[in-house]
Amino acid sequence: MIKKILVANRGEIAIRVMRTCREMGIESVAVFSEADRNSMHVRYADEAYFIGPAASAESYLVVDKIIEVAKHCKADAVHPGYGFLSENAGFADRCEQEGIIFIGPSSFAINTMGDKITARKKMLGAGVPVVPGTSEPIMEIGKAFEVIRQIGLPVMVKASAGGGGKGMRLIHEESEIESGIQAAKSEALAAFGNDAVYIEKYIDSPHHIEFQILADKHGHCIHLFERECSVQRRHQKVVEETPSPIMTPEVRKEMGAYAVAAAKAVNYSSAGTIEFIVDDTLNYYFLEMNTRLQVEHPITERVVGVDLVKEQINIANNLPLRFKQDDLKQNGHAIEVRIYAEDPDNNFMPSPGQVKHITEPLGLGVRHDGYVYEGYTIPMYYDPMISKLIVWAPSRPEAIERMKRALYAYKITGIKTSIPFLSRIMNTPDFVKGGYNTHFIQNNKQYLKPNDTASQRLRDVAAITTFIDYLSKAEPKTTVSNNGSKASNWKAFGRKKSLNRL
Ligand code: MV4
């Protein structure tokens, strides 16, 4: 059984993993770069080791250094978190060679799903719906014209080594085919050292819906339902929620079964995520599989009632899954927002620096996974995401109100954050209605821009409407003052706290 885990990561996710270690009586070991000497994950761990300069290529990404620390401190296992080495098949292999358990899937599963053409082929073989397109790399331009005539324009050219939006090209017209493919190939070669590209039919205005799965090393696999991740900016998720507002019980059941089939096709074990692209009429297609714990895993944990890190550790210990598919159900509604150290009112410019004051939101149904504290200086070397705010409520409308309340109570000074932007999202009609797609942010610019312009006018209109509504519902004015005890309507208005801050 695992007694000590080296967490090969930093920031909020390192702490997230260590919290579960502590609950399981497992010792945790932190590693840290020069820029992370004062990071909270170092303080939270039972032991911590310095691994080099601030640049992640010289610290968090150096396999030899992580292995050296794991051997030195006699860790039984390594948890990679997300990013860094989490989807590095070579690292997973190296851990196993050194007799250290890699808390994640096999290098075979990481490799197969990491190469998008190989993954498409696997999925076709497993009967999982994929976007119409090619299942072999495009080797000659004639072949590209042939498949594009079959599937029709527009199409997406994607790098096989890409994913998450890197190395993609949209092609609208025949005249763009040759140059588009050439551009995608050279971009892919430069970015990934691999110029293999494939073609997919372009799905316009899609929804991004993903399914969480858990698989053990005894051939059991279950899904933990979906997450709706369509609120994105430049391929970065901003808001995630579960259940998806557009899902039906029938489609959920089908997609869940395909997610399990996808995982089984690569003999998957540990936690993983199957991403689907979904159109407005709920046609869905496999997009890619993420072979790691994801940033947005807490919303699934809250609605399904499972600690995904605990299950990852149990699976790494060769234990069979503790639940069957029918044991799991979705309870209530959870929403997560990602807090970035960025200035939403200045083109999302990174805003590293010292946190002067922080008041974290608390209260019923609120979870805050972060790592910054008062006086901490956010380094500029890593991802600007500083925390995740997760709320739960029995229903979606209540979860939105709870998120607004939590964002209202979340105070950080010294740096700029995306908190005001997230509040605006919670007040945007397309979000409140649900049914939004991946163009949500692009399509709602007028609601999402800084306070002084249109979004303030919209709030003013809402405030005036609320006031008129209030007047129309107010008690009739007391005309005869017989005992002097009746407060005037204006005083009553002044006492209504909610209306003081329209
Ligand atoms: C697509 C697509 C439309 N059609 N593929 C972007 C990230 C990567 N995982 C795949 N992506 C897309 N692939 C086809 N055939 C549109 C996107 C896409 C997108 C997908 C999910 C979430 C946000 C997105 C934003 C822009 C484009």
Side-chain angles (χ1 to χ4, degrees), residues 6-10 13 31 51 56-68 78-95 102-105 107 110 291-293:
L6 185 156
V7 181
N9 214 301
R10 63 177 302 281
I13 194 63
V31 288
I51 51 164
S56 35
E58 296 176 67
S59 49
Y60 296 107
L61 289 171
V62 182
V63 171
D64 283 334
K65 290 188 179 181
I66 306 291
I67 297 287
E68 186 191 326
V78 170
H79 195 301
Y82 53 71
F84 295 129
L85 296 171
S86 62
E87 293 182 284
N88 184 317
F91 179 60
D93 265 341
R94 184 68 193 285
C95 287
F102 175 78
I103 302 178
S107 61
I110 298 174
T291 56
R292 60 169 189 276
L293 184 72

Side-chain angles (χ1 to χ4, degrees), residues 131 156 158 163-166 168 200-204 206-208 229-230 232 235 275 277 287-288 438-439:
V131 186
M156 288 279 245
K158 297 185 177 182
K166 279 173 278 171
M168 299 193 322
E200 281 182 359
K201 184 175 174 56
Y202 178 63
I203 311 293
D204 195 21
H207 305 255
H208 171 129
C229 306
S230 296
Q232 303 199 4
H235 302 299
E275 288 184 13
I277 189 166
L287 210 52
E288 47 197 71
T438 49
H439 299 316

Side-chain angles (χ1 to χ4, degrees), residues 362-376:
L362 295 167
L364 182 62
V366 176
R367 168 175 173 181
H368 183 235
D369 278 21
Y371 77 107
V372 313
Y373 56 87
E374 242 156 63
Y376 176 70

Side-chain angles (χ1 to χ4, degrees), residues 3 64 75 147 179 206 236 252 306 313 331 366 372 441 461 480:
K3 291 196 189 70
D64 283 334
V147 286
S179 60
Q236 288 266 42
R252 174 177 293 122
V306 170
I313 295 169
N331 174 26
V366 176
V372 313
I441 289 178
V461 169
V480 183

